[in-house]
């Protein structure tokens, strides 16, 4: 049963989350300038047609809590949970700076843990909740992993691959398409992202 803000598509070992806080690199500051230069950034621009299911908000709040943990560690605050049959089977938040790993995106970590917990690579009964629209890498992994559904909060007009910049999850040439629900708790996610980048700029200005 889906009760959507919007729906796109026609078919459809996680490391410790604790680590010493790191100083944010200049690359993150550059990204902040991209996202807050002008126009809307990290926001859902799609029309909301129906109220979101309580279950979507509940799991998105879990993802937002993980995003807040990422921010506390100096990472861009994005969090994700993978859910099967109403149970969280995978969790992740951004760890690229901590792990020095270009693949350590929240969604990929949550999906990796889900695959390990379930003992399968095919995540055909799994919904991924993530606080920011997936990038091309993560969207591609969702297609390859046969994820059943994706729910995200804020849009990413600079790198989003679930409808903003690309629409890989609904690409008709793929042999698997992933239905998408967007805009769930978008304001909370946007506020977390904007606050993080504002703090980065303030610290940079104080130096």
């Amino acid at each position: 049963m889906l009760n959507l803000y919007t729906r796109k598509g026609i078919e459809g070992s996680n490391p410790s989350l604790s680590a010493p806080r790191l100083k944010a690199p200049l690359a993150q500051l550059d990204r902040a300038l991209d996202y807050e230069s002008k126009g809307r950034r990290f926001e859902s621009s799609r029309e909301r047609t129906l109220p979101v299911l309580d279950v979507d908000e509940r799991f998105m709040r879990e993802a937002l809590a993980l995003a807040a943990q990422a921010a506390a560690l100096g990472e861009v605050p994005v969090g994700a949970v993978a859910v099967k049959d109403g149970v969280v089977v995978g969790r992740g938040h951004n760890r690229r700076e901590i792990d020095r790993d270009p693949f350590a995106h929240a969604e990929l970590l949550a999906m990796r843990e889900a695959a390990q917990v379930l003992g399968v690579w095919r995540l055909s009964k799994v919904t991924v909740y993530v606080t920011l629209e997936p990038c091309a890498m993560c969207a591609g992994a969702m297609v390859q992993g046969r994820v059943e559904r994706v729910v995200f909060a804020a849009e990413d007009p600079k790198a989003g691959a679930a409808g903003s910049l690309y629409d890989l999850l609904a690409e008709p040439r793929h042999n698997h398409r992933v239905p998408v629900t967007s805009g769930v708790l978008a304001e909370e996610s946007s506020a977390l992202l904007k606050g993080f980048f504002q703090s980065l700029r303030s610290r940079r200005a104080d130096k």
Side-chain angles (χ1 to χ4, degrees), residues 113-170:
E113 184 175 70
Q116 292 173 344
V117 168
L118 298 172
V120 295
W121 66 265
R122 190 184 296 270
L123 304 177
S124 57
K125 300 297 182 182
V126 171
T127 296
V128 175
Y129 293 83
V130 60
T131 59
L132 184 63
E133 182 179 358
C135 68
M137 176 176 69
C138 294
M142 291 164 174
V143 172
Q144 293 298 318
R146 308 299 194 268
V147 166
E148 183 173 68
R149 178 174 169 241
V150 171
V151 181
F152 71 83
E155 287 186 347
D156 186 348
K158 292 296 241 182
S164 290
L165 191 60
Y166 312 104
D167 202 356
L168 297 182
L169 297 179

Side-chain angles (χ1 to χ4, degrees), residues 61-93:
R61 290 197 185 282
E62 292 197 38
L64 283 167
L66 291 166
Q69 291 181 31
L73 297 170
E75 294 276 357
V76 174
V78 179
V81 295
V83 177
K84 180 181 180 184
D85 298 330
V87 176
V88 175
V89 292
R91 295 176 174 84
H93 64 59

Side-chain angles (χ1 to χ4, degrees), residues 9-201:
I10 58 175
E11 297 178 4
S13 145
N14 190 5
S16 169
L17 296 180
S18 61
R21 184 186 179 93
L22 300 180
K23 292 183 179 179
L26 292 179
Q28 291 185 354
L29 291 170
D30 292 339
R31 190 166 187 245
L33 295 176
D34 283 342
Y35 284 121
E36 302 212 7
S37 57
K38 61 183 178 179
R40 288 177 297 180
R41 295 296 182 261
F42 299 126
E43 296 180 359
S44 175
S45 62
R46 296 184 180 123
E47 181 182 0
R48 297 181 179 183
T49 58
L50 293 172
V52 70
L53 286 172
D54 290 342
V55 66
D56 283 351
E57 290 194 358
R58 176 163 66 91
F59 288 123
M60 189 61 74
R61 290 197 185 282
E62 292 197 38
L64 283 167
L66 291 166
Q69 291 181 31
L73 297 170
E75 294 276 357
V76 174
V78 179
V81 295
V83 177
K84 180 181 180 184
D85 298 330
V87 176
V88 175
V89 292
R91 295 176 174 84
H93 64 59
N94 272 359
R95 296 182 57 93
R96 289 191 304 176
E97 306 302 332
I98 295 170
D99 294 343
R100 301 293 189 261
D101 181 356
F103 303 109
H105 286 206
E107 305 97 309
L108 296 188
L109 296 177
M111 291 170 62
R112 178 179 295 163
E113 184 175 70
Q116 292 173 344
V117 168
L118 298 172
V120 295
W121 66 265
R122 190 184 296 270
L123 304 177
S124 57
K125 300 297 182 182
V126 171
T127 296
V128 175
Y129 293 83
V130 60
T131 59
L132 184 63
E133 182 179 358
C135 68
M137 176 176 69
C138 294
M142 291 164 174
V143 172
Q144 293 298 318
R146 308 299 194 268
V147 166
E148 183 173 68
R149 178 174 169 241
V150 171
V151 181
F152 71 83
E155 287 186 347
D156 186 348
K158 292 296 241 182
S164 290
L165 191 60
Y166 312 104
D167 202 356
L168 297 182
L169 297 179
E171 170 55 55
R173 291 169 293 183
H174 290 161
N175 64 356
H176 178 71
R177 271 81 71 191
V178 185
V180 174
T181 302
S182 67
V184 179
L185 302 182
E187 290 79 8
E188 288 88 337
S189 178
S190 295
L192 186 59
L193 287 157
K194 290 176 181 178
F196 174 79
F197 286 121
Q198 288 169 0
S199 178
L200 283 184
R201 287 198 300 273

